[in-house]
Amino acid sequence: MAAPTAISAPAPNSKVLLMQPDVQLSLLTAAGLQEARADWSQQARTNITQAIESELRAKSRPSELLDPTQAMAGREGQLIRLHEAVGQSIMAFNYGVINLPTKKGTFDWTLGEGTNVVREARGADYALFVNGRGSYSSGGRKAMFIGMAALGVGIPLGGQTVFASLVDLRSGRVVWFNMATAGASDDMRTPEGARALVGKLMTGAPL
């Protein structure tokens, strides 16, 4: 798995534009269907945002939170949508099982120099993106898991994954990327769980 080339920590006065985390959670039913839960998604979005802001404050890093719902029509909205596509590609080709010859053994991803428009508009040097996806099992699903396990058959119980990337707004390059899988104590729907998950996610971030 290729990772971004290590970079030195940005200058102390370098401002980070924190894109409000994009989190989508669902309920995994006994039948194996996923039902979107807007309330869970909002809880997790708020908790993760607060946890990351706390991390940035602890490092005395100047930052600004950008709510994508107020920026989707402009260049910032284009950047957000482009990053979602690039981030999913990084997950697939650098962290997944898909082998893309041009990416083998390298980490070379960019959003393009159009990021300079956002840099100039916001006075920020870097942008930090965070995405979260996952599902939580219903009581019925858990009961089915126990029953099927007794028969020697395993069924999935759902899971949650988050990834983050740091983008240099001058060049558009993704200079740092990491992903984390939630464990039993990392329930992002609670403030404590979100802090634990963000702690794992931000490990090694050059901030």
Side-chain angles (χ1 to χ4, degrees):
M1 177 180 65
T5 301
I7 66 169
S8 57
N13 61 342
S14 298
K15 179 180 175 181
V16 176
L17 182 62
L18 172 59
M19 301 297 188
Q20 186 178 72
D22 176 8
V23 183
Q24 297 179 28
L25 300 177
S26 61
L27 173 70
L28 184 61
T29 68
L33 302 177
Q34 293 195 19
E35 298 179 353
R37 288 291 300 266
D39 54 339
W40 289 354
S41 299
Q42 182 57 55
Q43 289 169 359
R45 188 178 303 117
T46 297
N47 293 335
I48 289 178
T49 298
Q50 293 175 346
I52 293 176
E53 288 181 321
S54 179
E55 290 257 345
L56 294 174
R57 284 195 301 270
K59 300 177 184 301
S60 300
R61 178 65 57 186
S63 65
E64 175 187 352
L65 177 65
L66 176 64
D67 182 349
T69 62
Q70 301 176 6
M72 293 305 285
R75 179 59 185 136
E76 291 167 341
Q78 294 175 4
L79 180 63
I80 292 169
R81 288 187 288 269
L82 175 59
H83 172 266
E84 182 177 2
V86 171
Q88 292 297 338
S89 295
I90 292 174
M91 290 284 287
F93 300 127
N94 287 92
Y95 287 76
V97 297
I98 302 176
N99 182 16
L100 189 66
T102 58
K103 299 296 182 183
K104 185 176 181 180
T106 65
F107 189 99
D108 183 19
W109 299 92
T110 180
L111 302 187
E113 294 184 0
T115 54
N116 264 291
V117 175
V118 177
R119 180 180 67 84
E120 294 171 358
R122 296 286 175 173
D125 303 284
Y126 295 86
L128 179 63
F129 295 84
V130 179
N131 285 61
R133 297 289 185 273
S135 62
Y136 294 87
S137 295
S138 66
R141 184 71 175 180
K142 294 176 182 177
M144 181 176 289
F145 174 84
I146 295 173
M148 296 300 288
L151 299 175
V153 179
I155 61 173
L157 280 178
Q160 311 84 45
T161 301
V162 292
F163 69 81
S165 58
L166 185 66
V167 176
D168 184 335
L169 291 177
R170 187 176 297 276
S171 66
R173 287 188 60 242
V174 178
V175 296
W176 174 83
F177 186 96
N178 196 26
M179 66 164 288
T181 301
S185 61
D186 305 329
D187 189 337
M188 68 182 87
R189 297 173 297 179
T190 68
E192 299 78 11
R195 285 194 294 270
L197 185 58
V198 166
K200 294 195 300 187
L201 178 65
M202 298 301 289
T203 299
L207 294 173

